[in-house]
Amino acid sequence: MDQLEFNRRQMLTIMGGAAAAASLPLGAFAADPFKLWAPGIAKVGGKDWAAMEKEAGISIANIAKSARADESIQKMVVGDGNKLYDAMTDNGGGMEDALASQGAIVEIDTSKIPNWANVDARYKEGGDAADTIRHEGKVVAIPYISNADSLAFNHEKVGEELTSWEALFDEQFRGRAAMQNDFGPTLTNTAIYLKQSGKQDIVNASDMTEDEVKGVCGFLIDLKKKGHFRTFWDGVQNGADLLSSEEVLVSSCWEVIQIFAARKNGQDIRYGSMKEGHQAWNNVVMLTKGGQERGMEDSFNALANVYLSPWFGSRTLAGLGFTPQMTGVNEYIESNPDEFDADTKALLTERLARKKERNENPGNAWQNVFPTNIRAYQDWWARVQAA
């Protein structure tokens, strides 16, 4: 990914003009709870953070995070975020550059995180995801989940394995198709399809020109006016309900939506690998400047060590279908039969293989929440919504 350099113009646009844990020295941890601004998907092992606390050897005070990327940046740069949070997660591609460029987060000393040695090769220097955790060459974020978004489909009703985005836009599914109500992933995946199928000239599906955005949105507007889309879904529950109720048969979505939809009624709802490519993304955790100043760096390293452990990777894969960010997950699953029965092991092995196939697709485009022409994205997306 060629991560965009975050500049003053983009900041003004976003701000709207507004100014192994045991290897770590437990004695070095601060007495106060570690204040983490993160969503529920950042934990595994139960409904609360107890299992994560036990693995990290620290006390965690989680503050649920639901803010948008621009709201999060406002909170951290001109708001009171650095006073409130020792660490935070992002909302998608580019936030680490935005926050680091404004001094809201700090460099991470990976030599103090033993499991950094296990990090997936794509995050090492020269890897395709290396820039997603770095700013000006310095590591400022630790990845904890990732994926390559694809197409969910009702295999029983469709009657075949779908391997192209063409199916999502095919007239045979008119009125039974859905996409996400978010210009980021919806425009990116549509752009990937149009580019790779030769239907539109697009240089970079992650960062389109104004004319390219116009072309992609024009394609969607034309389909919408013909009644092609049943709806544009909002949130995991809405997306899963549409598939499980068979209101829609094909839907671009997060993998967790497909997993929840398939579990609900035991239906054969699958998550395909699209030959054209997918929007790839990750979520990261970052040490705030305030957290460092309050002496919370060792606690951050302990939590980061958990995020890069096969213990965490295997559980986030099994529960919500997110891609582990470290090596050794298959070996961990095999060596812990009391945690994973034969059926679960087979499912996770298959899930990892499909993820590998999707992640290695050369047509993939990385998520970018701050495209250069973000106003064009916003304006044309409003037209799609109004069509």
Side-chain angles (χ1 to χ4, degrees):
M1 171 184 174
D2 292 323
Q3 194 76 7
L4 295 176
E5 179 181 356
F6 195 81
N7 57 41
R8 183 174 182 274
R9 180 188 62 78
Q10 288 172 307
M11 174 59 76
L12 290 175
T13 298
I14 292 164
M15 305 301 273
S23 301
L24 299 168
L26 295 178
F29 296 143
D32 294 332
F34 184 71
K35 297 180 290 295
L36 175 65
W37 193 26
I41 58 174
K43 72 174 185 304
V44 297
K47 292 184 178 181
D48 60 24
W49 286 77
M52 295 288 293
E53 290 177 316
K54 181 179 179 181
E55 288 295 312
I58 62 175
S59 175
I60 299 173
N62 172 243
I63 301 92
K65 186 172 187 285
S66 60
R68 300 192 314 264
D70 55 347
E71 293 172 338
S72 297
I73 292 172
Q74 286 186 1
K75 184 76 170 174
M76 297 305 301
V77 176
V78 300
D80 58 355
N82 256 293
K83 294 180 180 179
L84 298 175
Y85 315 127
D86 299 320
M88 64 177 292
T89 59
D90 68 337
N91 298 70
M95 273 189 69
E96 75 289 340
D97 283 326
L99 292 168
S101 70
Q102 301 303 310
I105 60 173
V106 298
E107 183 179 3
I108 296 167
D109 185 351
T110 57
S111 70
K112 296 180 179 179
I113 304 173
N115 283 333
W116 176 256
N118 302 331
V119 73
D120 191 274
R122 64 196 317 206
Y123 292 106
K124 296 178 180 179
E125 292 284 359
D128 69 332
D131 288 343
T132 69
I133 62 170
R134 289 173 174 82
H135 178 69
E136 296 182 344
K138 299 177 180 179
V139 175
V140 294
I142 298 296
Y144 67 95
I145 57 174
S146 73
N147 222 347
D149 293 340
S150 193
L151 181 72
F153 59 96
N154 189 317
H155 185 266
E156 181 181 354
K157 298 295 182 180
V158 171
E160 62 178 315
E161 194 73 22
L162 298 181
T163 59
S164 171
W165 288 111
E166 182 80 35
L168 180 62
F169 308 116
D170 193 292
E171 64 180 9
Q172 68 174 310
F173 297 120
R174 184 159 296 167
R176 308 292 294 277
M179 298 189 79
Q180 185 177 356
N181 189 24
D182 187 324
F183 72 78
T186 293
L187 297 192
T188 301
N189 279 324
T190 305
I192 290 169
Y193 163 70
L194 293 174
K195 176 182 179 178
Q196 298 299 330
S197 62
K199 291 179 170 60
Q200 184 177 327
D201 291 331
I202 296 173
V203 176
N204 182 357
S206 288
D207 192 29
M208 292 184 283
T209 66
E210 293 185 23
D211 284 343
E212 290 169 347
V213 172
K214 177 181 177 180
V216 170
C217 289
F219 173 79
L220 293 174
I221 289 170
D222 181 60
L223 285 171
K224 191 177 180 187
K225 287 182 175 179
K226 292 176 180 177
H228 185 80
F229 299 108
R230 173 65 184 84
T231 189
F232 287 77
W233 58 265
D234 283 294
V236 173
Q237 192 62 56
N238 181 215
D241 286 346
L242 288 167
L243 284 162
S244 63
S245 67
E246 299 181 3
E247 191 171 343
V248 301
L249 300 180
V250 291
S251 178
S252 64
C253 65
W254 310 323
E255 190 166 6
V256 64
I257 288 177
Q258 173 267 326
I259 292 172
F260 284 3
R263 284 177 184 170
K264 188 168 185 178
N265 298 317
Q267 296 160 295
D268 189 8
I269 296 173
R270 303 185 183 183
Y271 204 59
S273 294
M274 304 296 101
K275 66 181 182 181
E276 297 89 358
H278 321 80
Q279 177 186 257
W281 58 270
N282 62 10
N283 281 168
V284 302
V285 62
M286 300 163 284
L287 175 63
T288 67
K289 180 181 180 181
Q292 185 184 61
E293 291 174 345
R294 286 185 291 273
M296 291 295 186
E297 189 168 358
D298 287 327
S299 294
F300 175 87
N301 292 336
L303 180 61
N305 203 51
V306 174
Y307 281 135
L308 294 178
S309 70
W311 177 88
F312 180 87
S314 61
R315 284 165 173 76
T316 195
L317 174 67
L320 298 176
F322 294 125
T323 304
Q325 304 301 285
M326 73 297 297
T327 60
V329 172
N330 274 326
E331 293 80 0
Y332 180 88
I333 292 171
E334 285 294 330
S335 62
N336 289 275
D338 56 323
E339 298 179 19
F340 306 97
D341 60 28
D343 289 342
T344 301
K345 286 197 295 185
L347 173 64
L348 298 188
T349 298
E350 177 192 6
R351 196 172 284 172
L352 278 174
R354 287 189 284 112
K355 287 176 179 297
K356 186 175 186 294
E357 179 183 2
R358 289 197 298 271
N359 283 330
E360 294 178 352
N361 191 311
N364 288 352
W366 273 94
Q367 180 187 48
N368 180 10
V369 298
F370 303 122
T372 303
N373 297 294
I374 189 169
R375 284 296 173 84
Y377 278 75
Q378 294 168 334
D379 292 346
W380 274 101
W381 181 246
R383 299 187 193 192
V384 172
Q385 291 177 309

